Amino acid sequence: MNKQKIPATLVSGFLGSGKTTLLSNVLKQPAGRRVAVVVSVPADSSIDSDILRGTDIDAVDNVCRLPLGNRIYELSNGCLCCAVQDDFHHMMKELAHRKADIDHVMIETPGTELPISFLRRLSSEDLSSQFTIDSVITVADGPALADGRYTTASGLASRSIDTDLQFLYQAQLDIADVVLISKTDLVFPAMRRKLQDKLKGLLTHDPDIISMQHGLVNPDLLFDRACNTEQRLEIDKIDIDEQQVENGFDSVIIKLGKVDSDLLVSRLQMLIREQSVYRTKGFAELPNKMMRQVVQGVGSRIDRSYDRRWGADEERSTHLQIIGRQLDPERLMATLRMAEV
Ligand SMILES: Nc1nc2c(ncn2[C@@H]2O[C@H](COP(=O)(O)OP(=O)(O)OP(=O)(O)O)[C@@H](O)[C@H]2O)c(=O)[nH]1
């Protein structure tokens, strides 16, 4: 078939809601499709693309380095993981050149950003001739929804409470063709049944709502939706001050040597209590361990797991990204350094 345009899905959702977990499952089980997952990574860190590629260390050998720090990793099943450092437009043009090898593109938008800015970029003249927006999927953190963590009692975004945060959360929901409620395993069964109603109370439109655990969803519900998102949203008419919302977040990269894992977590917990830390993610190098430890913090919950052995030629270190508001980088560094051994 001579494919005219590549279908593209935007995956939005607040920090730590479960976007990468969803996409990493798509990459592992792409249901016969060759999927390219595009993820933005900070200039000084590749944590997100590393988590996405997960245990597939062989993929490191098969990497296409593009200008401005962008990279395309070819996975053994024909899927691509694309780390965008600086130039989203250039990455999308590169993928358009590989049209024959790609069935679908999924773009993870950063949790601190409004997906509308990505929709606008995809709607630009040269990209819209290559890609069609299949749908916008927003991942909503189930436990956060159950607690009402980012919403007012009325459920409406209000800018009068400190809440570019709330505004961002609501804007990410408002744009969705599909809302995936994540982490329902962490919600009490009695509350689980009420989550959909709670979500509907926040929504001003009628997206499909699907619950998921550990990022597992029937792929048929994700692909080939042809939602006509551009027409529904009338992108040109949306008037949001993107800069104002997105500039309110700080991201600090911390690099350390070997650490004591329990000490690291207790220091992180201390910082989370002291500062407005929303998200912590990265890898820890532990003494006498061949395995790399993944550290994942969302709010005050910190999970640890091992994903794979360190590679023979890989630089081993503890490498964390901390995202929040008005962070004090020196205090973060000094506190976490105490976990070094
Ligand atoms: N218990 C549980 N944990 C989950 C589930 N889905 C995701 N998580 C965990 O939640 C944390 C954040 O998940 P991610 O997929 O990295 O979230 P994200 O939205 O990509 O995060 P950012 O890119 O930082 O915005 C990780 O520790 C995941 O393992 C789930 O269904 N159940």
Side-chain angles (χ1 to χ4, degrees), residues 255-260 284-286 316-319 339-341:
K255 284 202 172 171
L256 302 167
K258 290 192 181 73
V259 291
D260 178 296
E285 186 197 4
L286 309 184
R316 296 186 188 195
S317 66
T318 297
H319 187 176
E340 278 184 319
V341 292

Side-chain angles (χ1 to χ4, degrees), residues 11-25 39-40 48 51 108-112 139 141 143 181-186 212-216 278-281 294-298 301-305 321 323:
V11 179
S12 167
F14 191 63
L15 287 167
S17 55
K19 303 177 289 295
T20 309
T21 307
L22 168 73
L23 291 173
S24 118
N25 278 317
V39 57
S40 298
D48 281 294
I51 291 175
E108 177 177 344
T109 67
T112 51
V139 183
D141 183 302
I181 304 180
S182 65
K183 309 184 192 178
T184 50
D185 54 305
L186 298 178
M212 68 174 175
Q213 293 187 0
H214 302 288
L216 291 171
Y278 300 130
R279 185 79 171 102
T280 310
K281 55 186 164 183
V294 184
V295 179
Q296 288 270 18
V298 180
R301 183 188 169 91
I302 298 177
D303 292 329
R304 286 171 284 175
S305 58
Q321 182 183 13
I323 306 174

Side-chain angles (χ1 to χ4, degrees), residues 13-16 19 42 110-115 150 159 162-172 241-253 275-281 299 321-329 332:
F14 191 63
L15 287 167
K19 303 177 289 295
T112 51
E113 287 191 27
L114 293 162
Y150 309 119
R159 307 202 73 169
D162 158 30
T163 50
D164 282 339
L165 197 72
Q166 223 175 87
F167 181 77
L168 175 64
Y169 183 79
Q170 185 72 40
Q172 290 175 342
D241 185 350
E242 292 162 28
Q243 290 291 325
Q244 187 188 335
V245 177
E246 292 162 8
N247 288 345
F249 291 90
D250 298 327
S251 165
V252 178
I253 300 290
Q275 303 190 31
S276 298
V277 173
Y278 300 130
R279 185 79 171 102
T280 310
K281 55 186 164 183
Q321 182 183 13
I322 299 180
I323 306 174
R325 273 199 200 282
Q326 294 172 334
L327 297 179
D328 175 349
L332 293 178

